[in-house]
Amino acid sequence: MNINDSIFIEDPIHQQVSIEKQIVPILLHPIVQRLSHIKQLSFSYLTFPSATHTRLSHSLGVCKNAELVLTSIFQ
């Protein structure tokens, strides 16, 4: 993957997540963007103020972790 073929999204937990440009239209779809308004930890942020992760942030983190695992397996 060439660095010019991807964009980078800053994530509070997983730092920088790289996304290939072909996938960007999927991320911009309203159904996927809706995930940014849903809290991953429900109402936990009322007790733990730093628990503000969204479903979109969680999904991007899962994507990054899967990429790291697959990269290390195939090397």
Side-chain angles (χ1 to χ4, degrees), residues 25-38 55-56 59:
I26 296 171
L27 284 177
L28 295 178
H29 195 277
I31 292 175
V32 177
Q33 286 299 310
R34 184 173 179 263
L35 295 174
S36 66
H37 303 292
I38 301 171
R55 294 280 170 112
L56 181 60
S59 298

Side-chain angles (χ1 to χ4, degrees), residues 2-18:
N2 189 350
I3 196 145
N4 294 328
D5 295 337
S6 59
I7 64 167
F8 296 95
I9 298 175
E10 291 294 325
D11 183 64
I13 298 172
H14 300 93
Q15 285 77 37
Q16 202 172 55
V17 179
S18 65

Side-chain angles (χ1 to χ4, degrees), residues 54-70:
T54 64
R55 294 280 170 112
L56 181 60
S57 174
H58 177 77
S59 298
L60 290 173
V62 169
C63 183
K64 180 174 182 176
N65 288 339
E67 179 184 7
L68 292 173
V69 168
L70 291 173

Side-chain angles (χ1 to χ4, degrees), residues 41-57:
L41 300 174
S42 188
F43 293 107
S44 296
Y45 71 95
L46 297 173
T47 305
F48 305 101
S50 64
T52 58
H53 316 15
T54 64
R55 294 280 170 112
L56 181 60
S57 174

